[in-house]
Amino acid sequence: MGSNLPLFPEAASTIAPDVDHLALFLLAVAAFFSVLIFATIFYFAIRYRRRSERELPHEQHGGMTLEILWSVIPFGITMVMFTWGASLYFKESRPPDNALPIYVVGKQWMWKIEHIQGQREINELHIPVGRPVRLTMTSEDVIHSFFVPAFRTKSDVVPGKYSTEWFTATKPGKYHLFCAEYCGNRHSGMIGWIYAMEPQDYENWLNSNPPPSTMAESGSKLFNGMGCPACHKPDGSGRCPSLVGLFGSTVHLADGRSIVADEGYIRESIVQPQAKIVAGYGSLMPTYQGQVTEEDLVQLVEYIKWLGDKSEGKKPFPGTQGEPLAIPDLRGK
Amino acid sequence: MITTAVQEREHYLNESYGIKSWLLTKDHKRIALLYLFTVTFFFFLGGAFATMIRVELLTPQGNFVSNDTYNKLFTMHGVAMIFFFLIPSIPATLGNFFLPMMIGARDLAFPRINLLSWYLLVIGGLFALFAMLAGGVDTGWTFYTPYSTTYSNSWVIATAIGIFVAGFSSILTGLNFIVTVHRMRAPGMTWSRLPLFVWSNYATALIQVLGTPVLAVTIILLFCERVFHIGIFDPALGGDPVLFQHLFWFYSHPAVYIMVLPAMGVISEVVSVFSRKRVFGYHFVAYASLAIAVLGFLVWGHHLFVATQSVYAGLVFSFLSYFVAIPSAIKVFNWTATLYKGSISFATPMLYAFGFIGLFTIGGLTGLFLAALGFDVHVTDTYFVVAHFHYIMVGGTIMAYMGGLHYWWPKMTGRMYPEGWAKLSALVVFLGFNLTFFPQFILGYMGMPRRYHVYPDEFQVLHVLSTAGASVLAVGYLLPMIYFVWSLKYGAIAPANPWGASGLEWKTQSPPPLHNFDETPVVTEEAYDYSSVIGEEIQVG
């Protein structure tokens, strides 16, 4: 047990001070109204205490002005809370474009993490300080929630879909990672540590844990192994749409809708291909629900993201140091 | 002398004897007492679970019970307290007893349905008890899917059936209240003359009737998926787990108002009587109840700010949540203004009412914190939320329930409770409550997640404070249990109107005769008019 009594959590992300400022504002308003009400009640209770059993006070007639005042003033204050809270929420919900992508798969009762360079971690996440990090998260079983108090952020991790969470660590250090959504027997054991490191230390950490392949490479192996290229030909001549340049582009669907191809769309198109059919194509693709694990899926997603890069052909697989990577099975087939 | 005369007078307690005269009674007052026994049982059961939770949390390690048992304890604590204590508590006991009396009626509109609704609560309660004894349930009282439908190996279905059945008890009580208020008011009892306790129970009844069926539907869907593997919520079966949260909170958020609106009604009565003044802004307080009932249905999404709900949905639900704050604030300001130039007595019910206003204010203000989207992301699913809703449900509803029990005890039993002990209990409850739950706000902001069996060392000091507070709180709740029972035999004989109150329930004997009034009262004045009462009271006292 710590000798001192901590009353305020460490603030170690760019968002954390914003949340703390909002918290202090809310606290100030709450303290003001609490004191106002308590003091008034206390004063009235003493000042107008019953002095004799026969006492009959004069009726006070309610005033419309007073009622309107104590409705409108609190409403105005709550609208400040609403606007402040909402603008912060928008900030928390929109990862910057340059954020470092990392994938998280939750299961009872552990956090499985994969970096795009291919490093894997369990219940630990190493990140560089000063760079936005964007987590793409899903669960293999029940709902979990990825909560880092020092970063003041959390998001539920829901089976069957991707959720995202982002933060920029500001201080190197070791911070709690908690599962915040009750997930069964060892819920309170589904915890871990975030290691925020100076960029150079982070590079060193990456290099000291060289993985056999990057996520996109692993994804391309899966892609070929599952026979995807038979239909998804890169030049668009196959029975299914080409996936080159897909990620981040606008897709026109057979039902007339248009959507932007993001991670969630790619995942859904693999496990539930009938949900969104691309205009001009039939519903040929079988479902892969239950045939690919969530960990495989994130690798496939990362590979298709890589295919989506418009400057493709020049850009190496992420994590490799410049040498272009051949994927012979795909090209020119 | 007079005492013997009072004792020999026939009233609802002595007009017939025997177990059948209670189990087959159609008298709303006896049914209210049946409810009182039932919910008191579940209150102490839920309290026992809470005690074990607090003992476990004394130390960071899980060394009192296993993690499995711990998960069952907090689940059963929530189930017992919410579905079998808080929801029926004030409406089914104090409401059942006094709503007809306050409008000058002989009984509720449907006495048989009233008895049926008590049986439904008991049957539902037995299912839940069976589940607890057979091995317990570990899903949390929120039953989130797919954990509850696919992964939990505990007695989910038995518990869910219990809640389903108890829900019909709630619906029938609500229906009975609505019809009674519309059809059974005494001559002259216009809507503007209704006591505010009646208004708030009426608003509550609307939620019970409109909201509870959604809970029933949700439980049926949960049943279909868990038993028949029909994919509704589990993505592995083609369902959407977040859909469950929408359905669950569509009932369970309004359910918070089922718990707190009747409490507000009690406070309006008590504040008025013990300051001998008409409730300030009567119409605003009355309509605020209806506003809360309606708006309460529009804010369920604020439980899903981090549950992958769309950002824009979050925006709308945050905005609407702030609207609910206004009618609640109106009530608090009007109660405070009622005290102004009043004649304020510090009798026990008033002490509980002061406690209610203080704790409900803190609970309500911290609700504003949680409605602020960017703040909620950090504290949702932490002890901040636990502290917030305990301030509303325990600090609000139970304080008011205790206040109401003390206030109406003389009428219900014909005996006075011991005032000194009762004042002590109010004080002990207030102090114990704050010591238990205030540290949990800090714990939550520090990042302590809820439903954790083991926790990091740095949270221990605050947990120890909380557990210490819980022990004080337990004493505060046991005291009334003892002196209430004691008072049945040894308490002073209660006069018809010991407080100088103006409501119709005080214009008949204590305890009331079987049909409440010897002759149907005729109402000629507004509620809370003390000018005529004070003279009478002096004769009695």
Side-chain angles (χ1 to χ4, degrees):
Chain A
M1 182 161 59
S3 56
N4 59 335
L5 177 63
L7 294 175
F8 213 75
E10 192 161 12
S13 74
T14 50
I15 290 282
D18 296 346
V19 176
D20 290 345
H21 292 149
L22 174 58
L24 290 174
F25 167 71
L26 293 166
L27 188 62
V29 173
F32 173 78
F33 278 98
S34 302
V35 170
L36 179 76
I37 291 164
F38 300 164
T40 311
I41 289 178
F42 195 74
Y43 173 75
F44 285 171
I46 302 298
R47 172 79 178 74
Y48 303 114
R49 67 188 180 276
R50 188 168 296 173
R51 287 155 210 267
S52 89
E53 279 309 309
R54 292 156 172 268
E55 203 170 58
L56 182 67
H58 288 290
E59 279 306 314
Q60 305 296 316
H61 290 285
M64 191 56 128
T65 326
L66 207 50
E67 298 288 348
I68 289 172
L69 266 183
W70 65 41
S71 307
V72 170
I73 293 174
F75 184 71
I77 297 170
T78 62
M79 284 303 101
V80 175
M81 295 175 178
F82 164 71
T83 313
W84 192 338
S87 66
L88 189 52
Y89 188 59
F90 269 78
K91 205 165 149 189
E92 287 167 342
S93 309
R94 301 240 164 100
D97 290 337
N98 64 343
L100 175 68
I102 294 176
Y103 291 85
V104 176
V105 175
K107 65 167 282 191
Q108 287 176 321
W109 292 274
M110 64 171 78
W111 296 104
K112 297 187 286 191
I113 285 150
E114 187 161 6
H115 297 257
I116 52 169
Q117 295 89 341
Q119 286 84 358
R120 288 162 177 265
E121 304 183 68
I122 286 181
N123 295 341
E124 287 188 353
L125 169 60
H126 289 77
I127 53 164
V129 158
R131 177 155 181 208
V133 170
R134 175 180 191 259
L135 306 178
T136 300
M137 312 188 288
T138 191
S139 163
E140 283 180 16
D141 38 46
V142 301
I143 301 176
H144 305 281
S145 191
F146 194 97
F147 177 32
V148 186
F151 296 168
R152 308 285 188 277
T153 188
K154 74 163 70 69
S155 171
D156 282 2
V157 177
V158 182
K161 64 162 89 168
Y162 285 150
S163 54
T164 56
E165 180 169 344
W166 79 275
F167 39 77
T168 307
T170 51
K171 276 198 289 193
K174 183 182 169 191
Y175 306 109
H176 280 299
L177 159 63
F178 293 131
C179 176
E181 185 64 68
Y182 173 66
C183 59
N185 209 339
R186 276 186 279 143
H187 169 52
S188 63
M190 192 167 164
I191 57 174
W193 295 103
I194 310 287
Y195 293 92
M197 310 166 95
E198 293 293 354
Q200 189 52 51
D201 296 335
Y202 176 69
E203 282 302 315
N204 294 342
W205 177 82
L206 283 179
N207 292 332
S208 64
N209 295 282
S213 60
T214 67
M215 278 189 78
E217 283 170 340
S218 308
S220 89
K221 283 177 204 141
L222 283 165
F223 192 78
N224 291 315
M226 289 160 67
C228 309
C231 299
H232 290 286
K233 296 192 170 155
D235 58 1
S237 65
R239 288 181 296 166
C240 299
S242 163
L243 304 181
V244 175
L246 169 67
F247 188 82
S249 68
T250 303
V251 180
H252 301 285
L253 302 179
D255 61 10
R257 284 181 296 162
S258 294
I259 51 119
V260 175
D262 59 7
E263 290 92 342
Y265 166 72
I266 293 169
R267 183 193 177 280
E268 183 190 54
S269 298
I270 300 170
V271 295
Q272 217 186 323
Q274 314 301 328
K276 295 190 178 82
I277 304 289
V278 178
Y281 290 88
S283 53
L284 300 171
M285 185 169 156
T287 173
Y288 285 84
Q289 173 107 44
Q291 298 173 41
V292 274
T293 65
E294 293 295 344
E295 284 171 282
D296 288 348
L297 277 168
V298 293
Q299 291 175 343
L300 283 165
V301 166
E302 186 55 29
Y303 170 63
I304 290 164
K305 274 174 86 169
W306 178 81
L307 283 179
D309 194 308
K310 297 294 190 297
S311 58
E312 197 263 323
K314 293 169 197 160
K315 190 190 163 196
F317 265 137
T320 57
Q321 296 303 310
E323 67 275 21
L325 198 117
I327 24 172
D329 294 357
L330 271 179
R331 309 283 143 185
K333 221 180 187 179
Chain B
M1 39 174 277
I2 293 174
T3 4
T4 36
V6 169
Q7 275 173 341
E8 284 167 7
R9 181 181 60 82
E10 186 173 284
H11 51 72
Y12 83 105
L13 290 169
N14 67 7
E15 55 88 21
S16 58
Y17 290 97
I19 191 96
K20 249 175 84 177
S21 75
W22 282 87
L23 293 182
L24 297 177
T25 181
K26 294 190 294 280
D27 177 16
H28 67 103
K29 300 181 289 300
R30 286 196 169 195
I31 295 171
L33 293 189
L34 293 175
Y35 268 114
L36 180 65
F37 297 130
T38 314
V39 302
T40 304
F41 169 78
F42 278 102
F43 175 67
F44 281 98
L45 183 70
F49 293 138
T51 308
M52 287 187 265
I53 291 170
R54 285 313 325 167
V55 171
E56 171 60 69
L57 294 174
L58 259 180
T59 59
Q61 305 81 23
N63 44 13
F64 176 62
V65 292
S66 70
N67 48 14
D68 194 30
T69 306
Y70 181 80
N71 296 341
K72 287 173 178 170
L73 285 174
F74 71 67
T75 302
M76 296 186 298
H77 167 69
V79 168
M81 286 300 202
I82 288 170
F83 296 109
F84 298 100
F85 172 67
L86 284 165
I87 286 177
S89 63
I90 297 178
T93 58
L94 300 174
N96 225 326
F97 202 112
F98 292 106
L99 184 130
M101 296 187 69
M102 290 168 105
I103 62 171
R106 288 164 56 126
D107 205 317
L108 284 171
F110 306 116
R112 282 187 183 80
I113 288 183
N114 194 25
L115 182 64
L116 173 66
S117 68
W118 176 70
Y119 275 102
L120 288 173
L121 182 73
V122 171
I123 293 167
L126 288 174
F127 268 102
L129 264 183
F130 164 76
M132 291 169 189
L133 294 172
V137 58
D138 74 342
T139 58
W141 77 277
T142 46
F143 293 93
Y144 272 16
T145 55
Y147 184 73
S148 62
T149 52
T150 306
Y151 291 86
S152 172
N153 290 316
S154 60
W155 292 83
V156 177
I157 293 298
T159 312
I161 291 174
I163 293 167
F164 180 85
V165 175
F168 284 90
S169 164
S170 189
I171 293 171
L172 292 180
T173 300
L175 187 74
N176 225 336
F177 282 11
I178 291 172
V179 177
T180 304
V181 175
H182 277 273
R183 306 294 305 159
M184 308 276 286
R185 282 172 286 128
M189 180 56 88
T190 62
W191 286 84
S192 295
R193 289 175 179 168
L194 285 179
L196 290 163
F197 181 72
V198 177
W199 269 105
S200 66
N201 272 287
Y202 180 82
T204 309
L206 293 177
I207 309 175
Q208 288 174 305
V209 170
L210 295 175
T212 319
V214 179
L215 177 72
V217 169
T218 312
I219 291 174
I220 291 170
L221 293 177
L222 187 143
F223 186 93
C224 288
E225 182 164 292
R226 189 168 165 93
V227 178
F228 302 118
H229 307 291
I230 298 170
I232 299 158
F233 305 121
D234 185 351
L237 301 170
D240 180 354
V242 182
L243 172 65
F244 177 85
Q245 299 181 23
H246 282 282
L247 290 169
F248 178 81
W249 289 113
F250 187 85
Y251 165 76
S252 295
H253 192 80
V256 175
Y257 303 112
I258 296 180
M259 302 176 219
V260 87
L261 276 170
M264 292 168 155
V266 171
I267 298 309
S268 293
E269 297 301 315
V270 169
V271 166
S272 170
V273 168
F274 294 94
S275 44
R276 256 183 214 162
K277 278 184 62 204
R278 182 175 160 83
V279 173
F280 194 85
Y282 168 92
H283 285 100
F284 288 89
V285 176
Y287 297 147
S289 294
L290 293 181
I292 290 172
V294 173
L295 292 168
F297 277 109
L298 306 177
V299 300
W300 79 91
H302 68 212
H303 296 267
L304 284 82
F305 287 160
V306 302
T308 72
Q309 179 178 248
S310 111
V311 176
Y312 298 98
L315 207 65
V316 171
F317 283 119
S318 166
F319 184 67
L320 292 171
S321 299
Y322 282 113
F323 276 79
V324 190
I326 304 309
S328 307
I330 287 174
K331 285 182 180 245
V332 170
F333 290 133
N334 279 299
W335 291 323
T336 308
T338 304
L339 303 176
Y340 178 66
K341 294 197 173 171
S343 165
I344 295 162
S345 149
F346 294 96
T348 309
M350 191 61 155
L351 296 186
Y352 273 108
F354 286 144
F356 171 96
I357 298 174
L359 301 180
F360 177 77
T361 298
I362 294 174
L365 286 165
T366 50
L368 300 180
F369 287 49
L370 291 166
L373 286 152
F375 182 85
D376 182 76
V377 168
H378 173 52
V379 293
T380 189
D381 283 320
T382 70
Y383 267 74
F384 192 95
V385 172
V386 176
H388 159 71
F389 72 71
H390 280 90
Y391 265 80
I392 298 289
M393 293 180 186
V394 185
T397 303
I398 301 183
M399 288 299 270
Y401 178 61
M402 298 294 286
L405 271 182
H406 284 86
Y407 173 53
W408 280 302
W409 190 256
K411 182 58 64 183
M412 293 166 81
T413 64
R415 297 285 182 158
M416 300 303 291
Y417 56 82
E419 187 65 33
W421 285 103
K423 280 183 170 153
L424 180 70
S425 86
L427 188 70
V428 171
V429 166
F430 184 79
L431 295 176
F433 176 86
N434 281 297
L435 185 55
T436 309
F437 292 105
F438 199 83
Q440 297 187 2
F441 282 122
I442 305 167
L443 270 176
Y445 199 73
M446 297 281 297
M448 167 82 202
R450 63 191 287 200
R451 298 174 170 176
Y452 262 34
H453 173 235
V454 294
Y455 58 84
D457 292 350
E458 64 259 36
F459 298 130
Q460 189 179 9
V461 177
L462 291 162
H463 271 301
V464 170
L465 286 176
S466 186
T467 300
S471 336
V472 177
L473 192 56
V475 173
Y477 288 139
L478 285 169
L479 272 176
M481 184 71 191
I482 296 164
Y483 64 68
F484 273 148
V485 173
W486 174 89
S487 76
L488 293 177
K489 194 163 163 62
Y490 303 103
I493 300 291
N497 187 3
W499 313 122
S502 69
L504 291 180
E505 78 271 31
W506 302 104
K507 298 208 158 88
T508 189
Q509 297 301 313
S510 304
L514 177 62
H515 294 302
N516 297 344
F517 302 98
D518 296 331
E519 51 193 272
T520 305
V522 177
V523 182
T524 55
E525 56 199 21
E526 292 181 327
Y528 316 117
D529 185 338
Y530 295 96
S531 53
S532 58
V533 183
I534 298 311
E536 279 173 35
E537 193 239 353
I538 290 160
Q539 289 170 3
V540 174

